[in-house]
Amino acid sequence: MAYGEKPQTRLIDTSKASAARMYDWLLGGTENYEVDRDACRELLHIAPSTQQLARTNRDFLRRVVRILAAERGIDQFLDHGSGLPTQDNVHEVAQRVRPGTRVVYVDNDPMVLAHARTSLDDNENTMVLDYDMRRTSDIRRATENFLNWNRPIAALFVSVLHCLPDADDENDPAAVVRALADQLAPGSYMVICQLVSDHPAVRQGVTQLMADATNNHWGRVRETHEVRRYFDSLEIEDPPGLVDVIDWWPDSPPPPAHLRPTDWVEWGGVGRITA
């Protein structure tokens, strides 16, 4: 494994919840603390389908990586906000179908970094960067000798942009997506989804809970029209278009409408860089 530029020096704060550790608990993992589990229980009171959505999102990640590697010939992936290592990480899925695929994981959660560096140490085709995902130019510079930016790359923003707050500058989630898209070679892909809800009470309740639980290390639950803006400069993969990710080329028939979550969904899709 290749390492990022910064050494891991920050302490793991167990007094506040971490979105990555909460996600780990929702997926049935063990790399979390009581503060994370308490926050998850509160979250489930506001949005009862949260655990189901976490698993749906993970299934989508596996499918989209497999399809891009096996059917579109992508052998370079840039995974933003990769979270804690679990089964079927991006490099595992991609390298099963396309050996030699290179994967860069970008995260700045100290626990995520510590676990990633331990579990990926023997894989020379992975790289871990201790960077804020909004630093798109710095990420490119740090990966110039690892990824070939003149060839297609699949950039993943899977269930992570809701962790970024709105901004009036280059730190706004839509601006981050555009900045990276401008740097990618034609034929590259952007995989983007985030949590959305049609219900103001869910959007406001979850946003406030997560801000309080993580000491403001979170962004906002958005609406579908806001996420659609992320794809403005991209050629959307259609079919299936922008959808609840459970409907993005599913491996088995998705559940009927009456069995689906009504509080919120993971929504997005895949866009292609054409020029």
Side-chain angles (χ1 to χ4, degrees):
M1 180 192 68
Y3 291 86
E5 294 176 354
K6 288 193 296 181
Q8 209 299 99
T9 56
R10 297 187 304 282
L11 296 176
I12 296 170
D13 184 358
T14 60
S15 67
K16 289 290 183 180
S18 151
R21 299 195 308 257
M22 289 175 66
Y23 186 55
D24 173 72
W25 183 83
L26 289 166
L27 289 172
T30 59
E31 304 300 336
N32 50 75
Y33 299 102
E34 191 60 34
V35 66
D36 307 301
R37 298 189 283 274
D38 287 343
C40 284
R41 294 181 189 108
E42 290 187 55
L43 184 56
L44 287 167
H45 281 301
I46 300 172
S49 68
T50 299
Q51 196 155 30
Q52 178 184 347
L53 260 59
R55 292 168 179 164
T56 293
N57 168 70
R58 196 71 192 177
D59 290 341
F60 166 68
L61 178 66
R62 294 186 188 104
R63 289 197 310 278
V64 75
V65 169
R66 186 189 72 234
I67 289 170
L68 290 178
E71 300 179 15
R72 310 301 164 82
I74 298 296
D75 60 5
Q76 302 185 104
F77 288 83
L78 181 58
D79 186 11
H80 297 83
S82 52
L84 285 162
T86 62
Q87 288 185 340
D88 275 352
N89 285 285
V90 172
H91 72 282
E92 294 169 316
V93 175
Q95 289 171 5
R96 271 201 297 270
V97 297
R98 192 167 292 276
T101 294
R102 291 201 158 192
V103 177
V104 176
Y105 293 105
V106 180
D107 211 304
N108 61 357
D109 183 303
M111 189 164 176
V112 170
L113 295 166
H115 280 271
R117 286 166 172 159
T118 299
S119 62
L120 301 176
D121 199 47
D122 61 350
N123 192 312
E124 63 181 12
N125 287 316
T126 61
M127 181 181 194
V128 176
L129 279 182
D130 177 5
Y131 274 44
D132 186 312
M133 75 182 82
R134 291 169 287 193
R135 295 172 55 189
T136 55
S137 295
D138 292 337
I139 290 169
R140 173 164 181 165
R141 281 192 290 271
T143 58
E144 285 281 5
N145 294 324
F146 187 78
L147 299 177
N148 183 346
W149 285 77
N150 295 315
R151 294 180 53 248
I153 294 171
L156 310 179
F157 290 95
V158 175
S159 198
V160 70
L161 290 174
H162 48 245
C163 296
L164 298 183
D166 299 330
D168 294 326
D169 57 17
E170 68 277 3
N171 291 315
D172 187 74
V176 171
V177 169
R178 285 194 301 271
L180 181 59
D182 288 344
Q183 299 181 60
L184 293 173
S188 294
Y189 290 88
M190 302 278 284
V191 181
I192 305 167
C193 65
Q194 84 143 78
L195 292 165
V196 303
S197 177
D198 292 332
H199 305 289
V202 173
R203 293 196 303 271
Q204 294 161 13
V206 173
T207 296
Q208 188 61 56
L209 168 64
M210 291 300 296
D212 293 342
T214 65
N215 198 25
N216 291 317
H217 289 117
W218 216 69
R220 183 167 65 86
V221 180
R222 296 183 171 91
E223 297 177 78
T224 54
H225 70 88
E226 296 177 282
V227 178
R228 191 178 297 275
R229 289 177 48 228
Y230 302 156
F231 292 85
D232 281 352
S233 62
L234 306 173
E235 180 182 87
I236 296 172
E237 184 91 354
D238 191 9
L242 303 182
V243 293
D244 177 341
V245 298
I246 202 169
D247 295 315
W248 198 92
W249 293 118
D251 291 328
S252 58
H258 69 281
L259 294 179
R260 295 189 178 217
T262 58
D263 41 8
W264 61 348
V265 299
E266 193 82 47
W267 196 86
V270 176
R272 186 172 179 269
I273 308 294
T274 57

